[in-house]
Amino acid sequence: MTTVTIGNARIPYRVHGSGPTLVLVHGAGPGSGMWDYLLDRFTGRTLILPDLSGSDAAEDDGAPLTIETLAEQVIAVIEDVDAGPVDLVGFSLGASVVAAAAALRPDLVRRLIPINGLATSDDEYVQQIMTTWLTLAGNAEGFGRYGTLTAYSRSHMNEIGHDSVEQSHGFMSPTEGQLRHLDLLLRIDLRELLPKIEARTLVIGCTHDQTLPVENHRELHAGIPGAEYTELDSGHVVLAERTDEFVKVIQDFLDRP
């Protein structure tokens, strides 16, 4: 693992494989490990996996996060590996981060794929769900269960069964960093940045997203000039619910001339 220092933060990142560079940016939670089970699905590429502020592996002063701060960390990692222009993928909170990074440094991004993200937190549902989640910070089990409840669609939970659903509660825990991620999800506003994106863009949304509802994905798409849009029949964590379809949509877009 390599570390880059930007401002008051030390941001670690991992490198896997070889070929055209694909940067995978995590959402709210412990960090880049969310992508690990998909790494062998992107063979023939150099995969860069940063752990941004708020993740378990990153170090900083603990100040409230901004989208611009996290975007600058992604930019610093791309510059550190001297790999631009790269293909840039971000999930959930990471979708908003990669959109901001592409707007701030269009020279570094070839293709952009934001997944289940937000253009703005100006959605009362999002305000209520994140605030409720934050109020559970003193109850680790309740915090994890609430995260699972909104992460998956009802059909997926019934498909994988009780034991598997119970095992998923531990992914989100009320660490200081993960609470900072949720706090940031209350304060996102990319509306002035999105028109500055120049990269060829595919926005991926999910019809049954209960964490950041699909109307938000469609709004993000509408704000990016010339962006394409694909909507999958899934809950928020589409990586787990529709893995094969999800990977194919990304691969097809990145491989297109």
Side-chain angles (χ1 to χ4, degrees), residues 4-236:
V4 62
T5 299
I6 174 168
N8 58 28
R10 288 173 52 82
I11 304 302
Y13 65 89
R14 296 178 288 148
V15 181
H16 292 268
S18 62
T21 303
L22 174 61
V23 181
L24 301 172
V25 177
H26 62 81
S32 66
M34 63 165 287
W35 299 105
D36 283 359
Y37 73 101
L38 293 178
L39 298 185
D40 62 356
R41 306 292 291 270
F42 293 105
T43 56
R45 303 184 190 277
T46 299
L47 303 178
I48 309 295
L49 297 102
D51 284 282
L52 307 181
S53 284
S55 67
D56 293 347
E59 300 175 12
D60 65 15
D61 63 1
L65 298 173
T66 69
I67 283 293
E68 290 80 5
T69 295
L70 300 186
E72 292 289 356
Q73 292 174 2
V74 172
I75 290 166
V77 169
I78 295 171
E79 292 183 323
D80 197 57
V81 298
D82 194 23
V86 303
D87 296 327
L88 188 54
V89 173
F91 171 74
S92 190
L93 174 60
S96 301
V97 172
V98 299
L104 292 170
R105 287 294 304 274
D107 58 305
L108 292 181
V109 183
R110 185 187 80 103
R111 295 199 179 173
L112 175 68
I113 307 179
I115 305 152
N116 293 354
L118 291 168
T120 171
S121 302
D122 188 17
D123 175 345
E124 190 56 34
Y125 178 94
V126 172
Q127 291 289 316
Q128 291 297 323
I129 200 166
M130 296 304 157
T131 301
T132 300
W133 208 348
L134 286 165
T135 65
L136 294 169
N139 179 345
E141 181 179 357
F143 187 91
R145 286 184 175 277
Y146 188 74
T148 299
L149 184 64
T150 64
Y152 300 123
S153 65
R154 175 176 175 270
S155 61
H156 181 70
M157 284 193 277
N158 283 313
E159 180 182 335
I160 64 176
H162 180 76
D163 290 344
S164 293
V165 174
E166 289 290 306
Q167 291 170 12
S168 71
H169 298 330
F171 179 75
M172 286 294 286
S173 57
T175 64
E176 180 183 350
Q178 291 180 40
L179 296 177
R180 290 165 73 203
H181 285 164
L182 297 183
D183 173 72
L184 176 54
L185 282 163
L186 289 167
R187 298 181 284 104
I188 292 172
D189 190 347
L190 301 179
R191 287 172 289 191
E192 292 187 5
L193 283 175
L194 295 181
K196 300 178 182 179
I197 293 174
E198 299 177 8
R200 190 169 179 180
T201 300
L202 171 67
V203 176
I204 298 177
C206 287
T207 307
H208 305 292
D209 192 336
Q210 298 181 80
T211 305
L212 303 174
V214 68
E215 290 82 4
N216 294 284
H217 317 157
R218 296 169 185 164
E219 182 181 19
L220 179 61
H221 162 250
I224 301 175
E228 301 177 38
Y229 181 72
T230 294
E231 193 167 297
L232 303 181
D233 184 24
S234 174
H236 188 64

